Amino acid sequence: MADDATVPDLSVEFAGIKLSNPLLLASGIADETGASMARAVKEGAGGVVTKSLSIQPRQGHPNPCIVEVEGGLINAMGLPNPGIEGFREEIEHYKKKTRGRAPIIASVFGSSIEEYVEASTLAEGLGVDGLELNGSCPNAKGLGLQFGQDPVVIIELVREVKARTTLPVLFKLTPNTHDIVTLARAVQEGGADGIVAINTLQAMKIDIMTARPVLTNTTGGLSGPAIRPVGVRCVFEMARAPDIRIPIMGVGGISTWEDVIEYMMAGATAVQVGTSISWGNLNVFGEMKKGLRAFLMGTGRRSIKDITGLAAGVGH
Amino acid sequence: MEVLRVSNVIPEARNIATVMIEPKDIARFKALRPGQFVMVWVPGVDEVPMSVSFLGGSPFSLGMTVQDIGEATHALCSLEKGDLIGIRGPYGKGFRFPRSPEGWMVIGVSGGVGTASTILAMEEASRRGLRTVELVGARDNGSLLFRGRWERSSSDVRYITDDGSSGRQGFVTDLLREAIGPLTSDERRRTMVLTCGPEPMLVSVRDLLKGSGIGCQFSLERFMKCGIGVCDSCSLSGHRVCQDGPVFALSQVLRMEEMGMFHRDRSGRKVPLKECVR
């Protein structure tokens, strides 16, 4: 298809990772098994990010760990995962099914910088194409978020991981901060190859009949269309900071091709799709690709790369 | 999520009860397809997926039939009228029926508490004018569910129990084998099996119907967290039971290598199902 001059090119390269289209399956969504991740690719995803993995298996929080609210979901899964070694057969299954068509990025986390480093090297041993450091999960005490809100910690964390791996390293940022640009600078200063933004917004739901927080963890992270304007703003702020040169992967509430374009115009080179899979189903990827091609053709553009940052320079 | 008071708890059999609620959002539940499920929150205990085993009546009610086998199901069975529970859904894909009843036969193959999923479907099949055969298996007479409802919904109900204390002694798949044996290939094309029960039983049904020319829909079960296709906990060979199922066609089930073999634990690890015994 790509050599047909009339069909716009959807391929992008992100931090050295070549993608046939800019749509990736976001971490934590239908990606606990190799078969599910492979299915996202079959439905049209250009790549996938695994469920966040730790050195040891974790069961996550007891139910309820998800609650539906207007415009999205609040979840507190609590980082359940079978452990990096336990995930080996899932990666193998994925690679067998997708045969190199779509890169796989391992999302990793730990409870110390040493654990992040070990998790990263173990994940590299699984044969993944890149690493996403989850420095922003709001739902597990002592994990994730506490490494992602302090620029000094971010720099050290990224630097240590980069020193021990040859893979592209991405850092997933939280919107639960007063200044995401400062965090992004720290990610770049540590030597990361790309930024992923945003993770969920801290939120909660109280049931008024029982006077109880619904989630077992009491608080969780809001995702879905409700957070898209926040994500777009975060990407925009980072993209127009002249000193931030590493690419940005946009994530947060993307459910249509228009949302993809919006994030890319704000400055994203690629995007991740998550929550919308719960109501839109996995064929959202195919639908989005169709919409992106039509948009490019309708506006006389040859490549999706031409969209990135179109709006980021506006409004200074 | 709708939080409301339990309107009734009906004992059904040993360790099995039906919890009744009267949802406020009636339109939402009137649209429920038999085979779909709801997530039920017992505040302070857990949230679990439940089949809907009853729908209708006046005032409009929804029933969920629960077997007391663990902490959450024990809490559900221990509920009393007036207790608060939360409910979200209905979710997933339910059973499908032939468009026109003409010449069709629907065979319900139900085992144990799996009847909680098939009873509503078979009642719906009768309501649509389809000819129905109800094959109902249980461990013993004391755990046989919905006898009155089966017999009201079909003129052909056959029971079988592990110990012979009700109906014949044997497995429900024995009844299925006998029921489909004499069918001509023409009749087989117009026969649809709807089944739910323990996974070893479903594996036997699958093997029996493979290549038989008879269609079948399976209601499957896996450990579930979110119920809406996000967390992948209920993944079964790339199918999310909560959103792609819980009702699957025979053609899908035949491609599930993990069926009857593996399920996922809370961490997502693939672990073996207990030995298949039948």
Side-chain angles (χ1 to χ4, degrees):
Chain A
M1 260 194 166
D3 45 8
D4 182 341
T6 64
V7 178
D9 179 20
L10 292 186
S11 71
V12 295
E13 189 171 330
F14 189 95
I17 303 169
K18 289 189 169 65
L19 301 160
S20 65
N21 71 64
L23 315 172
L24 289 91
L25 178 67
S27 179
I29 310 291
D31 57 0
E32 199 171 73
T33 68
S36 292
M37 294 187 293
R39 194 169 146 208
V41 172
K42 198 174 158 205
E43 300 280 1
V48 300
V49 186
T50 68
K51 184 151 271 200
S52 282
L53 303 170
S54 49
I55 300 166
Q56 295 297 330
R58 280 176 58 89
Q59 297 204 335
H61 298 311
N63 269 10
C65 48
I66 209 152
V67 58
E68 288 161 284
V69 294
E70 298 90 330
L73 308 172
I74 307 174
N75 90 82
M77 301 306 299
L79 296 168
N81 77 93
I84 294 169
E85 199 44 50
F87 208 69
R88 183 180 291 278
E89 70 172 301
E90 309 302 338
I91 302 259
E92 283 167 0
H93 184 91
Y94 173 84
K95 292 182 130 187
K96 206 172 86 191
K97 290 275 178 192
T98 57
R99 291 188 302 256
R101 264 183 299 150
I104 181 166
I105 295 168
S107 171
V108 297
F109 68 95
S111 63
S112 64
I113 288 178
E114 292 70 33
E115 276 190 25
Y116 270 93
V117 171
E118 189 183 346
S120 298
T121 54
L122 287 172
E124 183 167 12
L126 300 183
V128 296
D129 303 293
L131 297 170
E132 178 180 286
L133 306 181
N134 182 354
S136 42
C137 175
N139 300 326
K141 218 174 164 208
L143 300 168
L145 192 54
Q146 80 172 55
F147 296 91
Q149 285 174 321
D150 180 345
V152 178
V153 176
I154 291 177
I155 294 171
E156 192 188 346
L157 175 54
V158 174
R159 196 170 274 156
E160 293 294 322
V161 171
K162 273 300 282 182
R164 295 280 302 279
T165 176
T166 56
L167 291 174
V169 173
L170 321 181
F171 193 96
K172 188 165 181 180
L173 281 175
T174 180
N176 302 304
T177 168
H178 69 287
D179 183 6
I180 198 162
V181 177
T182 298
L183 300 183
R185 281 196 187 98
V187 169
Q188 179 173 277
E189 196 180 327
D193 304 279
I195 294 163
V196 180
I198 56 174
N199 207 315
T200 56
L201 270 89
Q202 284 173 293
M204 78 182 294
K205 169 74 184 167
I206 292 170
D207 170 57
I208 60 169
M209 294 289 284
T210 53
R212 271 175 179 277
V214 173
L215 297 172
T216 305
N217 190 51
T218 68
T219 62
L222 179 64
S223 63
I227 73 165
R228 191 176 65 248
V230 179
V232 170
R233 185 267 301 167
C234 288
V235 170
F236 180 82
E237 284 185 353
M238 294 185 286
R240 73 170 179 177
D243 57 326
I244 293 177
R245 292 169 308 274
I246 57 176
I248 303 162
M249 200 177 279
V251 52
I254 295 174
S255 54
T256 65
W257 66 266
E258 290 97 329
D259 303 341
V260 177
I261 296 285
E262 188 182 5
Y263 263 97
M264 293 186 79
M265 285 184 170
T269 300
V271 300
Q272 298 180 4
V273 181
T275 302
S276 70
I277 280 163
S278 74
W279 55 81
N281 224 330
L282 280 162
N283 63 19
V284 291
F285 291 107
E287 294 294 316
M288 284 176 183
K289 275 163 67 178
K290 241 186 278 171
L292 294 176
R293 283 205 188 94
F295 178 77
L296 292 176
M297 284 174 84
T299 54
R301 294 188 175 91
R302 298 285 296 276
S303 167
I304 192 79
K305 299 179 195 78
D306 300 340
I307 302 295
T308 296
L310 276 183
V314 180
H316 277 281
Chain B
M1 159 117 54
E2 193 180 326
V3 175
L4 29 79
R5 295 191 186 279
V6 171
S7 58
N8 202 0
V9 180
I10 305 162
E12 299 279 3
R14 196 178 50 234
N15 296 330
I16 300 175
T18 298
V19 178
M20 305 288 290
I21 52 169
E22 292 164 14
K24 286 190 262 308
D25 192 350
I26 292 176
R28 189 181 175 86
F29 290 100
K30 276 205 165 148
L32 180 143
R33 291 181 85 107
Q36 287 190 297
F37 69 97
V38 291
M39 292 297 290
V40 183
W41 178 43
V42 187
V45 182
D46 203 347
E47 185 188 40
V48 288
M50 294 299 312
S51 299
V52 175
S53 59
F54 180 83
L55 199 63
S58 181
F60 183 80
S61 304
L62 181 148
M64 298 155 290
T65 302
V66 196
Q67 185 171 25
D68 182 354
I69 48 164
E71 191 192 358
T73 51
H74 181 72
L76 277 165
C77 286
S78 313
L79 287 170
E80 289 173 15
K81 189 175 170 173
D83 287 346
L84 286 168
I85 58 171
I87 187 157
R88 55 187 179 97
Y91 294 129
K93 296 189 171 55
F95 289 104
R96 306 182 75 88
F97 301 94
R99 224 169 260 144
S100 137
E102 206 64 39
W104 275 90
M105 175 166 69
V106 177
I107 304 177
V109 181
S110 315
V113 81
T115 48
S117 168
T118 48
I119 179 74
L120 205 59
M122 293 307 290
E123 286 175 338
E124 172 71 11
S126 297
R127 204 187 56 74
R128 288 170 177 245
L130 290 147
R131 187 183 147 208
T132 54
V133 179
E134 321 276 19
L135 311 179
V136 186
R139 186 173 302 158
D140 52 39
N141 186 46
S143 51
L144 201 59
L145 294 172
F146 310 128
R147 210 178 252 270
R149 287 175 66 187
W150 291 122
E151 287 163 22
R152 276 195 297 279
S153 76
S154 176
S155 55
D156 190 351
V157 186
R158 307 174 202 175
Y159 299 111
I160 197 160
T161 48
D162 292 1
D163 66 356
S165 55
S166 205
R168 260 173 47 196
Q169 181 180 7
F171 298 131
V172 71
T173 40
D174 301 339
L175 295 179
L176 179 62
R177 195 176 295 109
E178 290 161 23
I180 63 171
L183 297 179
T184 64
S185 61
D186 213 42
E187 289 169 323
R188 286 172 181 234
R189 267 198 295 279
R190 286 174 170 269
T191 299
M192 174 60 74
V193 174
L194 310 183
T195 187
C196 186
E199 195 143 314
M201 177 199 117
L202 298 180
V203 167
S204 300
V205 172
R206 176 196 70 188
D207 295 344
L208 197 57
L209 295 180
K210 185 181 173 183
S212 70
I214 297 170
C216 184
Q217 297 170 59
F218 298 76
S219 174
L220 304 183
E221 191 177 9
R222 281 295 180 272
F223 175 71
M224 251 177 223
K225 287 184 180 176
C226 76
I228 52 173
V230 169
C231 76
D232 216 17
S233 294
C234 63
S235 183
L236 174 56
S237 293
H239 300 266
R240 290 158 300 161
V241 171
C242 68
Q243 202 192 50
D244 303 319
V247 176
F248 292 96
L250 177 61
S251 57
Q252 292 175 295
V253 166
L254 284 169
R255 289 197 304 269
M256 296 174 175
E257 311 92 19
E258 293 175 13
M259 167 94 173
M261 307 288 288
F262 298 100
H263 68 117
R264 305 267 166 180
D265 69 9
R266 284 171 186 277
S267 75
R269 241 183 323 193
K270 199 161 136 182
V271 290
L273 277 176
K274 279 183 203 141
E275 280 296 305
C276 286
V277 286
R278 355 179 152 161

